[in-house]
Amino acid sequence: MQQKIPATVITGFLGAGKTTMIRNLLTNAGGKKIALIINEFGDLGVDGDVLKGCGAENCTEDDIIELTNGCICCTVADDFIPTMTKLLERDQRPDHIVIETSGLALPQPLVAAFNWPDIRSEVTVDGVITVVDSAAVAAGRFADDHDAVDARRVEDASLDHESPIEELFEDQLTCADLIVLNKTDLIDADGLGRVKSEVASRIARKPVMIEAKNGEVPASVLLGLGIGTEDDIGNRKSHHELEHEDGEPHDHDEFDSFVVELGAIADTAAFVEKLKGIIAEHDVLRLKGFIDVSGKPMRLQLQAVGARIDQYFDRAWAPGEARSTRLVVIGLHEMDQDAVRKAIEALV
Ligand SMILES: Nc1nc2c(ncn2[C@@H]2O[C@H](COP(=O)(O)OP(=O)(O)OP(=O)(O)O)[C@@H](O)[C@H]2O)c(=O)[nH]1
């Protein structure tokens, strides 16, 4: 009998640094042939584009599979299982499978899928790695104002849980075998201490925590944990599972995303500055995509996590490729989509 293929699940809230860490992993995974399954929230495949562009020999474009029909936790049967089955039928089986969940996915249903007979006989979960944006934790992003939530609960008796962001953050931590406290370059030692206690206070189990900058963690630390997490998934229930033991399906109604398409941008510095204002005003959680900068042969990649924006030219526009500016915007459901769209469109 063939040995089971190890699969690493990489999860973590929007913008924590999952893609950055995987990109780094691909360049230091030695000779290991890696198949990558990427799942993203929003209709613009930015992560897949970034990872395909890294040109790692041990993980070619063919080895990168994008699951784009919604969050992987909700499409396990229709999307994930058939994808895995196809992957396992390939002549050249990978040495290791890495799965990046969307920033809004619950890892629990995904890990549970590894107990489906067809998958279980061939693959095992090497470990669940949860990437944490330490700067966001330090800024109180996941510690909601409990008084405000309690007040809302009094007004609306159907509210049976904490804020969706806080819940998701805890669910992703609850599932972890290894926690990567990323973005430590953005906080000081005191801040890091507070982040560690905050993260530890959210979970009963005590997975190992490591610190990282730009997702730089050696492949030898990330791969080969050998946990077999699918056997323990019953002990790592999400808030949803605890609250709906009757099996009511989980959804992502609390979050929304949309794509804004614009023409070329002449003054990117001014564009980015004004974008920061829009993000802050409307509490946009995540914004990312590509910018067509007037007169430049290169494409500008834009990555905003809250109001922190990174931008860099990632590659030349290909000959014949239609140049355009396309940005995906992700926020809570109550975000005023129309207002955000109009405000961004008005920048050009
Ligand atoms: N300063 C700093 N920035 C980082 C670090 N790690 C990642 N980033 C930046 O954070 C932004 C988001 O990183 P991604 O790797 O795309 O995050 P992600 O978790 O894959 O995001 P989603 O898939 O959208 O949930 C990018 O601009 C990265 O360059 C870090 O350690 N320090």
Side-chain angles (χ1 to χ4, degrees), residues 153 156-162 167 243-244:
R153 216 177 264 136
D156 179 356
S158 69
L159 261 188
D160 57 356
H161 47 60
E162 305 162 293
E167 259 195 25
E243 283 155 19
H244 302 280

Side-chain angles (χ1 to χ4, degrees), residues 158-330:
S158 69
L159 261 188
D160 57 356
H161 47 60
E162 305 162 293
S163 88
I165 296 178
E166 187 171 11
E167 259 195 25
L168 203 82
F169 178 61
E170 284 180 2
D171 288 341
Q172 293 175 338
L173 290 174
T174 297
C175 212
D177 293 300
L178 173 71
I179 295 175
V180 177
L181 300 175
N182 192 36
K183 305 200 186 179
T184 53
D185 55 311
L186 299 177
I187 51 173
D188 60 17
D190 279 357
L192 183 59
R194 278 185 279 112
V195 170
K196 284 183 181 166
S197 347
E198 157 109 34
V199 168
S201 73
R202 301 274 177 167
I203 32 176
R205 294 170 48 259
K206 295 284 164 253
V208 174
M209 274 192 227
I210 57 171
E211 298 156 29
K213 287 182 204 140
N214 291 316
E216 284 164 9
V217 183
S220 56
V221 174
L222 299 177
L223 308 185
L225 297 178
I227 308 278
T229 316
E230 67 274 24
D231 292 333
D232 188 48
I233 197 63
N235 296 321
R236 308 183 187 193
K237 288 199 162 75
S238 65
H239 283 83
H240 181 81
E241 288 167 300
L242 292 169
E243 283 155 19
H244 302 280
E245 298 211 27
D246 53 356
E248 183 182 307
H250 140 89
D251 57 41
H252 295 275
D253 286 354
E254 288 135 335
F255 300 92
D256 261 328
S257 80
F258 62 96
V259 174
V260 187
E261 193 148 0
L262 307 166
I265 311 269
D267 184 348
T268 47
F271 179 81
V272 166
E273 220 24 64
K274 288 184 184 142
L275 202 55
K276 274 187 193 162
I278 297 171
I279 289 172
E281 185 186 345
H282 296 275
D283 206 9
V284 171
L285 296 172
R286 183 85 167 98
L287 188 152
K288 57 184 169 177
F290 306 104
I291 294 185
D292 172 12
V293 186
S294 310
K296 293 275 181 200
M298 300 287 283
R299 181 176 81 166
L300 188 72
Q301 192 183 129
L302 190 95
Q303 292 274 356
V305 182
R308 178 177 301 282
I309 300 188
D310 288 338
Q311 49 183 310
Y312 56 95
F313 288 103
D314 66 346
R315 67 160 170 82
W317 291 100
E321 182 178 8
R323 295 174 59 130
S324 73
T325 297
R326 299 189 78 206
L327 301 168
V328 62
V329 182
I330 306 175

Side-chain angles (χ1 to χ4, degrees), residues 3-36:
Q3 270 208 325
K4 288 190 185 184
I5 301 174
T8 297
V9 174
I10 298 186
T11 188
F13 193 67
L14 293 168
K18 300 176 290 296
T19 309
T20 308
M21 190 174 83
I22 293 172
R23 203 185 157 137
N24 178 67
L25 169 69
L26 295 182
T27 60
N28 78 91
K32 261 196 184 122
K33 184 159 179 61
I34 294 182
L36 203 54

Side-chain angles (χ1 to χ4, degrees), residues 80-113:
F80 175 68
I81 300 275
T83 300
M84 280 295 272
T85 314
K86 262 201 224 139
L87 185 61
L88 297 170
E89 282 166 358
R90 286 189 181 182
D91 290 341
Q92 246 217 323
R93 287 157 62 99
D95 299 321
H96 203 110
I97 299 169
V98 172
I99 303 164
E100 177 183 356
T101 76
S102 91
L104 297 178
L106 299 184
Q108 284 84 350
L110 172 65
V111 174

